[in-house]
C-alpha cells in the first residue's frame, strides 16, 4: 500500500463520472474541506486489513500529534504499478474508511472508482508532504533470516516452579500428562498420558451425544476471510483471530465452529420434519488470547471443544432442546461431582439483530433453567454478540471460577447465512440455532478436573489403570502372563518386574495415582491368585484374575467414580 500524505489548507474535489465498473455510488457534488490531512491511497496486491489498519492508525496518530481534526481519504491509483484488482481494492478502501471512523476525527472519504476534478492547497512546512509505503513482505524476510537448524535454546519447556502443589500444571508434570513449550505459547503438547484423558472425555460425551440424537461433523481449520465477514466475527471478534495472508487471499484460523457448521447445514435442503438437526464436532479452535491472560490449561490459544449446534424450527422445539441440553450438563457434571454455578448473560452493547428477538431468546433460556430447577444469576451485557447465553462456572483448587459449559440461543447467524427449511405450510422459513458446549474447552475442563481430583482420576479416565508388581523374581513369569491377559482385555496396564523393593514399587505407583496394583509373590504364584491393592492403600488377597477383570471392566464401562475393589 502506498500513501501520499498531505497537510492541506484546503482540498476540493468533485466526482465527474465513474472511471471503472467497480465503483461506489455517490453524488456528483463538489466537496470542499479546510485544514485536513489528505491520504492519497493506492492499494496494492497482497495488501491486508492488518496493513490497512496500520496505515490508518499512523495517520490518526500523526493528525493527533499535529492537532488536526479532519482526515480525507482519497483513492488514488497513480502511486503504484502493482495495483490490487478493483473489487478487493474497493473492499479494503471501505475497510480503511470504517477503521478511520472509529477515531474521534472527522473523516471524509472520496468515492472509489470515479474520475474527479481536484484542487489542492498544500501547507508549507517540512512535514506537509510525506510518502508512506506499507508492505506485507517485511515480516517474511525476518523469518527467513532465522535459524534453519534446531537451536537447543528453543526446545524449552515452560517453567512452573513456584506454583502450589495443587496446581494442575504441577500435577500434570508429575503424572506426565502434558507440557507447554516456549515455541508454541498458550498451546498444549499432550503426552500419551494426557492424551488418554482427552480421548476418554471425548468418548464419554460422544456416547451422550449419540444418546441425544447428535451427529458428528468435521470442518476445515482455515476459511477465507469472507466467511468471517458474513458471520460478523470480523466486526466483533477480530482482535482474537489469527488472520493469515496468502498470495491471493486472506484466511483466518477458526476461533469458533459456528460459521462452518452453518455451511454444512446450507449444503442441502431441509424440511420441518427433519428438525431438530443436531451437529456436533471436536475440531481444534484458535484464539489469539493476550499472553498475560494465558494460564496453563485454563486459558489457551489452541483449544478443543465438545461443540454442537442444534437447528430447530419453532420456539417450542428450542425450549425442549434447551431443557435436554441442561439435562446433559447436569448428568455430565454430576458424573464428576463438580459443583457448578449457572449464569445467564444478557445482550452486550456490541450485538447483532433487533432487541425483541434478544428478549425472546433471553426468556427462553430463563424458562429452561427454571424447568430444570437450576438456580442462576444474571450477568448483564455479557452475552455473545449474536445471542444471550447460559454459562456454567466451575471452581479450581484455589477457588477461581472458570467458565466451562455454554449454551446460546441465536436468531442472528441463521439469518445472516440465509438458512432455510420448508415449513408445514410449504413455504421457506429461517431456523433458530442453539450453540452449546458442555465440557467447554476440553483443555480447561481437564485443568479443572485435575485439580478437583488432585490427579486421582477415576479408573475409567486414569492414564494407567493397573500396575502389575512383583515381590521377587520368582513371580516374574506369572506376572508377565497376568499383565498380558489384562492388556488383552483392553485395560491400560504396566508391568514392574524390576528388582526394587516392594515398598518402593508401591510408593511409585501411588505417586502416579494408579488406581490398582496387582501384587504378586510366591503365594500368589502357587495359588494362581492375585493380591489387589487400591491406591487408597486397601488390600485384598486371594482374588482370582477373572474376578478382578470382571469387576474392573464394569467399573470402567459404567464410568464409575468410586473404586469397586477396595
Ligand atoms: Zn457456535
Amino acid at each position: 500500500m502506498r500513501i501520499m500524505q498531505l497537510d492541506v489548507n484546503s482540498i476540493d474535489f468533485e466526482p465527474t463520472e465513474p472511471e471503472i465498473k467497480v465503483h461506489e455510488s455517490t453524488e456528483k457534488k463538489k466537496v470542499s474541506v479546510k485544514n485536513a490531512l489528505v491520504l492519497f491511497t493506492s492499494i496494492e496486491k497482497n495488501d491486508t486489513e492488518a496493513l490497512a489498519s496500520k496505515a490508518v492508525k499512523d495517520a490518526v496518530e500523526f493528525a493527533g500529534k499535529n492537532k488536526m481534526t479532519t482526515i480525507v481519504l482519497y483513492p488514488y491509483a497513480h502511486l503504484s504499478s502493482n495495483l490490487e484488482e478493483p473489487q478487493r481494492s474497493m473492499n479494503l478502501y471501505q475497510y480503511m474508511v470504517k477503521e478511520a471512523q472509529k477515531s474521534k476525527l472527522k473523516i471524509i472519504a472520496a468515492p472509489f472508482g470515479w474520475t474527479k476534478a481536484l484542487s489542492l492547497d498544500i501547507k508549507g512546512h517540512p512535514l506537509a508532504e510525506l510518502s508512506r509505503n506499507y508492505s506485507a513482505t517485511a515480516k517474511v524476510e525476518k523469518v527467513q533470516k532465522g535459524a534453519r537448524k534446531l537451536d537447543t535454546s528453543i526446545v524449552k519447556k515452560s517453567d512452573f516452579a513456584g506454583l502450589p502443589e495443587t496446581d494442575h500444571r504441577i500435577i500434570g508434570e508429575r503424572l506426565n500428562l502434558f507440557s507447554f513449550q516456549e515455541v508454541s505459547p498458550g498451546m498444549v503438547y499432550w503426552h500419551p498420558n494426557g492424551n488418554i484423558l482427552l480421548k476418554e472425555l471425548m468418548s464419554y460425551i460422544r456416547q451422550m451425544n449419540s444418546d441425544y440424537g447428535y451427529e458428528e461433523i468435521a470442518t476445515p481449520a482455515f476459511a477465507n476471510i469472507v466467511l468471517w465477514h458474513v458471520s460478523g466475527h470480523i466486526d466483533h471478534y477480530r482482535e482474537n483471530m489469527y488472520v493469515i495472508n496468502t498470495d491471493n487471499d486472506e484466511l483466518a484460523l477458526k476461533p469458533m465452529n459456528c460459521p462452518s457448521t452453518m455451511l454444512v447445514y446450507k449444503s442441502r435442503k431441509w424440511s420441518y420434519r427433519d428438525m431438530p438437526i443436531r451437529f456436533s464436532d471436536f475440531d481444534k479452535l484458535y484464539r489469539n488470547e493476550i499472553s498475560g491472560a494465558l494460564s496453563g490449561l485454563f486459558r489457551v490459544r489452541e483449544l478443543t471443544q465438545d461443540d454442537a449446534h442444534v437447528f430447530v424450527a419453532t420456539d417450542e422445539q428450542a425450549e425442549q432442546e434447551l431443557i435436554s441440553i441442561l439435562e446433559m450438563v447436569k448428568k455430565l457434571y454430576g458424573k464428576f461431582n463438580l459443583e457448578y454455578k449457572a449464569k445467564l448473560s444478557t445482550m452486550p452493547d456490541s450485538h447483532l439483530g433487533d432487541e425483541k428477538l434478544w428478549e425472546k431468546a433471553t426468556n427462553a433460556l430463563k424458562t429452561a433453567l427454571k424447568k430444570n430447577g437450576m438456580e442462576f444469576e444474571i450477568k448483564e451485557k455479557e452475552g455473545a454478540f449474536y445471542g444471550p447465553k447460559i454459562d456454567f462456572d466451575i471452581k479450581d483448587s484455589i477457588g477461581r471460577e472458570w467458565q466451562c459449559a455454554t449454551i446460546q440461543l441465536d436468531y442472528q447467524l441463521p439469518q445472516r447465512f440465509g438458512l432455510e427449511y420448508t415449513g408445514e405450510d410449504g413455504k421457506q422459513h429461517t431456523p433458530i440455532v442453539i450453540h452449546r458446549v458442555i465440557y467447554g474447552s476440553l483443555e480447561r475442563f481437564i485443568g479443572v478436573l485435575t485439580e478437583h481430583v488432585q490427579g486421582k482420576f477415576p479408573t475409567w479416565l486414569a492414564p494407567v489403570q493397573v500396575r502389575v508388581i512383583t515381590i521377587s523374581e520368582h513371580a516374574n513369569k506369572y506376572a508377565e502372563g497376568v499383565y498380558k491377559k489384562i492388556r488383552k482385555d483392553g485395560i491400560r496396564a504396566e508391568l514392574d518386574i524390576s528388582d526394587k523393593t516392594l515398598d518402593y514399587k508401591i510408593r511409585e505407583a501411588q505417586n502416579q495415582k494408579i488406581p490398582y496394583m496387582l501384587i504378586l509373590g510366591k503365594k500368589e504364584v502357587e495359588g494362581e491368585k492375585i493380591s489387589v491393592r487400591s491406591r487408597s492403600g486397601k488390600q485384598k488377597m486371594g482374588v482370582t484374575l477373572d474376578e478382578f477383570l470382571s469387576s474392573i471392566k464394569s467399573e470402567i464401562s459404567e464410568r464409575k467414580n468410586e473404586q469397586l475393589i477396595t
Side-chain angles (χ1 to χ4, degrees):
M1 176 176 298
R2 286 170 193 266
I3 291 179
M4 188 163 62
Q5 177 183 303
L6 305 175
D7 184 359
V8 302
N9 290 315
S10 69
I11 173 173
D12 298 317
F13 62 85
E14 183 176 359
T16 50
E17 58 188 284
E19 189 172 29
I20 46 175
K21 222 172 111 197
V22 178
H23 58 269
E24 294 178 292
S25 57
T26 189
E27 279 176 64
K28 292 182 182 173
K29 216 172 85 184
K30 186 170 169 181
V31 179
S32 300
V33 188
K34 298 248 180 291
N35 294 317
L37 190 67
V38 180
L39 305 179
F40 285 99
T41 306
S42 285
I43 291 170
E44 298 182 295
K45 283 205 164 53
N46 302 334
D47 277 352
T48 60
E49 290 189 348
L51 282 181
S53 302
K54 170 88 174 83
V56 169
K57 198 175 151 236
D58 289 351
V60 169
E61 268 178 24
F62 183 94
K65 271 188 202 150
N66 295 286
K67 305 209 165 30
M68 304 165 86
T69 54
T70 309
I71 289 182
V72 176
L73 282 152
Y74 198 107
Y76 196 72
H78 312 293
L79 300 174
S80 170
S81 56
N82 183 31
L83 291 175
E84 180 59 273
E85 50 93 11
Q87 183 62 52
R88 196 169 173 275
S89 189
M90 184 167 84
N91 292 348
L92 209 53
Y93 176 68
Q94 288 169 338
Y95 175 78
M96 286 178 79
V97 175
K98 249 173 81 186
E99 284 294 289
Q101 282 163 346
K102 288 182 189 164
S103 74
K104 287 179 185 139
L105 303 174
K106 184 175 176 196
I107 306 299
I108 290 153
F112 183 92
W114 284 72
T115 306
K116 296 176 273 285
L118 169 70
S119 65
L120 284 165
D121 175 11
I122 304 166
K123 286 184 182 165
H125 64 84
L127 286 176
E129 295 175 40
L130 279 180
S131 129
R132 295 184 191 271
N133 186 2
Y134 294 90
S135 142
T137 54
K139 237 183 183 168
V140 176
E141 278 161 17
K142 200 172 143 203
V143 173
Q144 280 165 351
K145 277 187 203 149
R148 290 296 171 96
K149 263 204 289 183
L150 187 61
D151 174 351
T152 48
S153 72
I154 68 162
V155 191
K156 213 170 141 195
K157 281 202 298 181
S158 296
D159 184 9
F160 299 135
L163 289 171
E165 293 283 297
T166 54
D167 190 285
H168 68 278
R169 284 164 283 189
I170 299 293
I171 301 170
E173 192 150 84
R174 216 167 271 160
L175 302 187
N176 194 13
L177 301 179
F178 56 83
S179 59
F180 286 91
Q181 311 277 339
E182 291 194 354
V183 285
S184 319
M187 305 187 200
V188 191
Y189 287 72
W190 289 108
H191 299 188
N193 283 350
N195 203 39
I196 286 170
L197 294 176
L198 200 61
K199 276 182 3 195
E200 288 293 349
L201 289 173
M202 280 198 217
S203 119
Y204 177 40
I205 189 79
R206 274 194 167 112
Q207 191 195 320
M208 205 187 275
N209 280 345
S210 146
D211 293 346
Y212 278 83
Y214 286 76
E215 295 174 292
E216 192 171 323
I217 60 169
T219 62
F222 286 110
N224 194 294
I225 200 90
V226 296
L227 181 69
W228 310 100
H229 278 290
V230 175
S231 68
H233 282 85
I234 283 296
D235 295 329
H236 300 270
Y237 201 72
R238 191 192 166 90
E239 68 273 20
N240 287 101
M241 288 172 68
Y242 288 105
V243 177
I244 293 165
N245 304 305
T246 67
D247 286 347
N248 305 311
D249 278 316
E250 265 185 301
L251 304 173
L253 272 165
K254 62 174 170 182
M256 292 178 192
N257 294 305
C258 335
S260 42
T261 307
M262 302 295 133
L263 297 187
V264 173
Y265 177 96
K266 211 173 161 57
S267 64
R268 58 159 281 196
K269 285 205 177 312
W270 301 98
S271 138
Y272 70 96
R273 287 188 212 91
D274 302 315
M275 314 294 240
I277 295 150
R278 306 177 188 92
F279 288 145
S280 71
D281 74 73
F282 293 88
D283 295 335
K284 295 235 176 200
L285 302 174
Y286 300 85
R287 297 179 181 175
N288 193 1
E289 304 282 359
I290 53 169
S291 55
L294 300 174
S295 178
L297 293 176
F298 289 153
R299 196 180 297 280
V300 289
R301 289 181 173 149
E302 185 194 63
L303 61 147
T304 323
Q305 286 188 329
D306 60 320
D307 206 359
H309 294 86
V310 181
F311 299 86
V312 296
T314 61
D315 290 333
E316 292 70 43
Q317 265 184 2
E319 194 181 306
Q320 195 45 53
E321 283 302 307
L322 289 172
I323 289 170
S324 31
I325 292 167
L326 290 174
E327 198 180 283
M328 290 171 91
V329 172
K330 261 194 200 168
K331 268 191 202 166
L332 189 131
Y333 288 1
K335 173 65 88 190
F336 300 98
N337 291 330
L338 288 168
E339 267 182 54
Y340 53 86
K341 247 193 213 164
K343 295 179 177 174
L344 176 64
S345 299
T346 59
M347 188 175 77
D349 290 331
S350 167
H351 62 266
L352 297 176
D354 89 74
E355 301 194 359
K356 272 198 191 124
L357 282 178
W358 273 87
E359 205 184 306
K360 194 159 114 180
T362 310
N363 285 334
L365 291 177
K366 268 187 201 162
T367 310
L369 279 165
K370 283 178 188 156
K371 286 203 175 163
N372 257 282
M374 284 172 156
E375 283 182 22
F376 61 95
E377 57 182 78
I378 306 244
K379 283 206 261 187
E380 293 291 349
K381 295 188 179 184
E382 293 206 10
F385 66 85
Y386 45 79
K389 55 177 186 164
I390 304 172
D391 295 328
F392 290 87
D393 290 358
I394 308 181
K395 275 191 191 149
D396 68 13
S397 64
I398 55 167
R400 285 175 304 184
E401 287 181 351
W402 295 95
Q403 181 195 311
C404 290
T406 301
I407 304 161
Q408 292 161 3
L409 186 55
D410 175 8
Y411 293 84
Q412 314 299 337
L413 277 192
Q415 280 177 12
R416 289 175 78 101
F417 278 88
L419 304 188
E420 287 181 335
Y421 67 91
T422 311
E424 227 172 328
D425 55 7
K427 291 185 187 141
Q428 295 304 303
H429 299 268
T430 308
I432 309 163
V433 71
I434 301 167
H435 309 244
R436 74 109 182 101
V437 287
I438 297 185
Y439 289 123
S441 134
L442 265 301
E443 285 77 5
R444 176 178 290 181
F445 190 86
I446 289 173
V448 170
L449 185 66
T450 302
E451 295 194 358
H452 180 67
V453 301
Q454 287 294 301
K456 287 185 191 161
F457 298 104
T459 306
W460 67 274
L461 271 179
V464 179
Q465 295 164 321
V466 175
R467 187 176 280 176
V468 180
I469 292 172
T470 50
I471 300 173
S472 68
E473 63 179 312
H474 300 299
N476 284 5
K477 213 172 155 204
Y478 179 61
E480 273 169 30
V482 169
Y483 166 74
K484 275 187 191 151
K485 183 131 192 264
I486 53 181
R487 294 275 301 192
K488 217 174 149 193
D489 270 22
I491 314 290
R492 296 187 289 267
E494 284 179 354
L495 176 64
D496 185 357
I497 51 170
S498 65
D499 52 12
K500 291 172 207 148
T501 66
L502 179 62
D503 276 357
Y504 188 89
K505 289 180 182 180
I506 290 175
R507 210 164 43 241
E508 245 185 3
Q510 256 161 353
N511 286 342
Q512 289 299 303
K513 320 282 185 205
I514 297 169
Y516 295 111
M517 288 161 253
L518 304 188
I519 299 173
L520 309 177
K522 203 172 154 213
K523 223 162 85 193
E524 283 75 21
V525 177
E526 281 166 4
E528 290 192 27
K529 296 274 171 60
I530 55 174
S531 286
V532 184
R533 187 186 166 100
S534 73
R535 68 183 155 204
S536 62
K538 287 183 183 153
Q539 199 157 326
K540 203 171 174 184
M541 325 251 274
V543 181
T544 69
L545 185 55
D546 285 343
E547 278 167 3
F548 172 72
L549 280 175
S550 89
S551 163
I552 193 175
K553 279 200 281 193
S554 81
E555 185 178 328
I556 293 168
S557 67
E558 290 165 39
R559 297 191 170 92
K560 288 211 186 316
N561 248 335
E562 308 306 327
Q563 289 188 257
L564 281 185
I565 311 148
T566 53

